[in-house]
Amino acid sequence: MRSVLLLFTLFFSLHSLAQNEKILSKKGMIILEENKHIPYLNVKLTNGNFRYTDEQGIEKELLMKEVMYIEDEQNAKIFTNKTVVERYKKNEEKRLEEEKTATAERNLKKQEERAKLEEERKLKLLPNGIYYTKEDFLNKNPNSTEIIVPKGLIGFEKPELNGIPDVCFFYSKNSDKKIKKVFAIAYEGHLYFQIQAILNNRNKTDRAQTNDFPNSFSRVLIAGENYYYLESDLVNLWVQGVAYNMGATGTFIAQDLSSANVKLGRTQNFGSKKGIVWDIKNKEFNIFKNCNDYNDFIKNLYPDGIQECDKHQPDILKVREAIEKIK
């Protein structure tokens, strides 16, 4: 009899507590299983569910099985649904694993796309190797096939460059010595001409051009049966000389004539990126010194490629378009 009375008393107490709708917390946050946060006022337990007032003053109700946590104004947890918490953790672990897999798949796809693009960029004009002279180059006979690496132009410590640079130095991998006084290098399917070789083998009308890095290399961007096209930051020697002799005033004049070599970080370099073609038939380089010089080159080969010459240098993008037509 006493046991029955005790059970009845316990049931009556729990039932009364639920019916009294005692306020559990005056202000805080309800956190649902999907980690949604709901601000509340006066949350209370009613018939196994949570009733609260939202920020608009509307009274709402949530099933207990929907709620993961209830926190008060000091972020202290006043209710924790362990079943929901465990389910949320498992779902979150699954989501993170799926996200990790998806990220790995995206990265792999990007790598494959980059590799495909890089393969398409390879002109494969000559066997990989170092070509000491023009004759070696013409005979497609590399003098050395030692392992080489591209490095940047600027800085005392020159780190190896990733990918395929358009402009660089080449160093021996084993000795770490800079490659000098050669004609060309075929590297990873890409052809590079050394700047000094370009200057030594240019058309006789292309004098007065120089470069601060004669042992650097420029990559061939476009190639066909008639021409190999590349670009390099070249300086008009006479403009540079006048500017140096005139001091600061000359510097401003030279900078007005052609853009500074910003990429190399040298404000005193009065050159600009100029188009260069290796003329396969005539076995020489033709440097587009300025817009008029480019027009002289292109007018008979592709009249539609002639430019207006509003500026001293031609539009380099239009130059590339024209070369694609005549290459």
Side-chain angles (χ1 to χ4, degrees), residues 132 169 179-184 193-202 207 209-218 230 232 234 276 285 287:
Y132 292 169
F169 287 125
I179 306 299
K180 300 180 180 180
K181 298 180 180 180
V182 302
F183 187 81
F193 288 109
Q194 192 163 61
I195 296 302
Q196 190 59 57
I198 296 173
L199 299 177
N200 291 343
N201 293 273
R202 57 193 164 183
R207 302 304 173 188
Q209 299 294 308
T210 188
N211 181 281
D212 288 338
F213 303 95
N215 289 309
S216 65
F217 291 79
S218 286
L230 59 148
S232 179
L234 295 175
I276 304 167
F285 293 99
I287 302 169

Side-chain angles (χ1 to χ4, degrees), residues 288 293-307 319 322-323 326:
F288 305 147
D293 186 49
Y294 160 75
N295 281 345
D296 287 341
F297 170 82
I298 203 68
K299 63 183 179 182
N300 294 327
L301 298 170
Y302 181 60
D304 289 345
I306 294 175
Q307 298 190 26
V319 170
I323 296 300
I326 66 167

Side-chain angles (χ1 to χ4, degrees), residues 15 27 84 99 112 139 158 164 170:
H15 180 72
K27 187 176 182 181
V84 177
E99 186 177 289
E112 291 173 347
N139 292 328
K158 295 180 174 61
I164 302 297
F170 279 106

Side-chain angles (χ1 to χ4, degrees), residues 306-320:
I306 294 175
Q307 298 190 26
E308 293 296 328
C309 294
D310 296 327
K311 298 181 180 179
H312 186 63
Q313 295 297 331
D315 184 325
I316 202 73
L317 296 179
K318 292 181 179 179
V319 170
R320 295 174 189 172

Side-chain angles (χ1 to χ4, degrees), residues 144-304:
S144 172
T145 56
E146 68 173 302
I147 300 175
I148 56 175
V149 293
K151 294 191 176 186
L153 304 186
I154 300 302
F156 183 76
E157 295 291 336
K158 295 180 174 61
E160 293 183 18
L161 299 177
N162 296 322
I164 302 297
D166 290 337
V167 179
C168 65
F169 287 125
F170 279 106
Y171 280 73
S172 167
K173 180 70 173 179
N174 293 329
S175 66
D176 198 36
K177 289 184 178 179
K178 185 186 297 182
I179 306 299
K180 300 180 180 180
K181 298 180 180 180
V182 302
F183 187 81
I185 284 180
Y187 173 75
E188 300 289 345
H190 296 268
L191 178 61
Y192 290 80
F193 288 109
Q194 192 163 61
I195 296 302
Q196 190 59 57
I198 296 173
L199 299 177
N200 291 343
N201 293 273
R202 57 193 164 183
N203 182 281
K204 62 182 180 180
T205 64
D206 290 334
R207 302 304 173 188
Q209 299 294 308
T210 188
N211 181 281
D212 288 338
F213 303 95
N215 289 309
S216 65
F217 291 79
S218 286
R219 184 173 69 89
V220 172
L221 305 175
I222 302 169
E225 296 179 355
N226 300 310
Y227 301 101
Y228 296 165
Y229 174 79
L230 59 148
E231 294 166 358
S232 179
D233 293 279
L234 295 175
V235 182
N236 184 306
L237 190 61
W238 305 116
V239 171
Q240 187 186 55
V242 169
Y244 286 154
N245 290 331
M246 292 180 66
T249 304
T251 299
F252 289 119
I253 294 172
Q255 287 173 334
D256 286 337
L257 290 175
S258 58
S259 62
N261 190 342
V262 177
K263 181 176 66 177
L264 300 181
R266 299 172 64 87
T267 56
Q268 78 273 22
N269 189 336
F270 311 123
S272 61
K273 184 174 287 188
K274 296 178 181 178
I276 304 167
V277 291
W278 167 253
D279 189 324
I280 295 175
K281 180 180 178 180
N282 294 319
K283 300 179 179 60
E284 65 180 10
F285 293 99
N286 195 324
I287 302 169
F288 305 147
K289 300 186 296 295
N290 51 52
C291 186
N292 290 327
D293 186 49
Y294 160 75
N295 281 345
D296 287 341
F297 170 82
I298 203 68
K299 63 183 179 182
N300 294 327
L301 298 170
Y302 181 60
D304 289 345

